[in-house]
Amino acid sequence: WPLLKKHGMKADLNVIGAQIDATWETLNSGKTRDGEAAPFCTWEELAEMQKSGVINICSHTYGLHVYNRNGRIGMNLMENETEDEFASVVKKDYNLSLKCISGWIGKAPRTVAYPYSKRSSASDRIVLSNTGYKILMAGDGSRGTVGNYFVDGFDFENQLKLISRPCRMDGTP
């Protein structure tokens, strides 16, 4: 945040609610973020950033940023999971993300970035029909995603301008 302010930059931050809550727990138990592999910010810091008018807070799910935990990879249907079962998982996660982001930031998240860019047309349909998300994002080249992907809100040419970037992750976490 200090570097963004220093250089007059704007940003969309896709936050993982469970990670932000874990940082809050760490700090409120008297520990510090020093030495943490991923020293996430707090909800208070995110609220300050949002109020600046140059930072937009988006969702990266509340707790679905998992890689092969009990068969789940991000916010995508698992093998042999029914659409109704997946819809229930998505609703629960969205409601937690909504409670945190709207409670601290003052507005509901409309955009979600798929963890690990794992998505399908079925997951897109289920997420859109069971949450308040209006824009779904997945990155180019991220673990088999064919290209940058928005479900609603942008035409193809603007998609390429807005989110064309190389994948930051290779392999399996």
Side-chain angles (χ1 to χ4, degrees):
W1 172 231
L3 287 173
L4 292 171
K5 284 195 300 190
K6 177 182 176 182
H7 296 287
M9 303 296 294
K10 297 180 179 185
D12 285 348
L13 302 179
N14 297 298
V15 299
I16 304 166
Q19 297 284 356
I20 307 301
D21 281 349
T23 296
W24 187 90
E25 291 287 338
T26 296
L27 296 175
N28 282 290
S29 69
K31 298 176 186 170
T32 70
R33 292 179 264 211
D34 295 343
E36 293 289 323
F40 295 93
C41 55
T42 65
W43 291 112
E44 293 92 346
E45 292 165 337
L46 289 168
E48 175 191 337
M49 290 182 231
Q50 176 77 27
K51 285 179 188 168
S52 73
V54 297
I55 303 296
N56 184 41
I57 306 300
C58 305
S59 180
H60 201 22
T61 74
Y62 179 84
L64 292 177
H65 200 286
V66 296
Y67 198 86
N68 204 16
R69 184 183 305 153
N70 299 321
R72 174 134 347 258
I73 299 175
M75 189 174 60
N76 199 12
L77 281 151
M78 294 190 307
E79 189 174 324
N80 299 320
E81 182 176 37
T82 69
E83 289 191 2
D84 286 341
E85 290 168 336
F86 180 64
S88 178
V89 168
V90 167
K91 284 179 197 177
K92 181 180 178 184
D93 188 85
Y94 172 75
N95 286 332
L96 287 168
S97 187
L98 174 67
K99 184 177 180 180
C100 291
I101 294 174
S102 65
W104 282 100
I105 308 305
K107 68 179 206 175
R110 295 176 36 97
T111 303
V112 65
Y114 274 105
Y116 310 104
S117 290
K118 290 295 189 183
R119 54 154 297 280
S120 66
S121 58
S123 66
D124 293 344
R125 179 177 38 77
I126 294 165
V127 169
L128 286 173
S129 62
N130 288 280
T131 70
Y133 297 130
K134 303 298 180 199
I135 300 172
L136 311 179
M137 296 188 300
D140 185 29
S142 299
R143 294 190 175 82
T145 302
V146 174
N148 295 323
Y149 186 80
F150 287 94
V151 173
D152 281 329
F154 294 90
D155 60 46
F156 180 73
E157 190 168 314
N158 282 325
Q159 291 176 32
L160 295 177
K161 290 177 189 172
L162 287 170
I163 191 171
S164 289
R165 59 172 170 68
C167 177
R168 297 184 324 255
M169 296 177 67
D170 293 318
T172 301

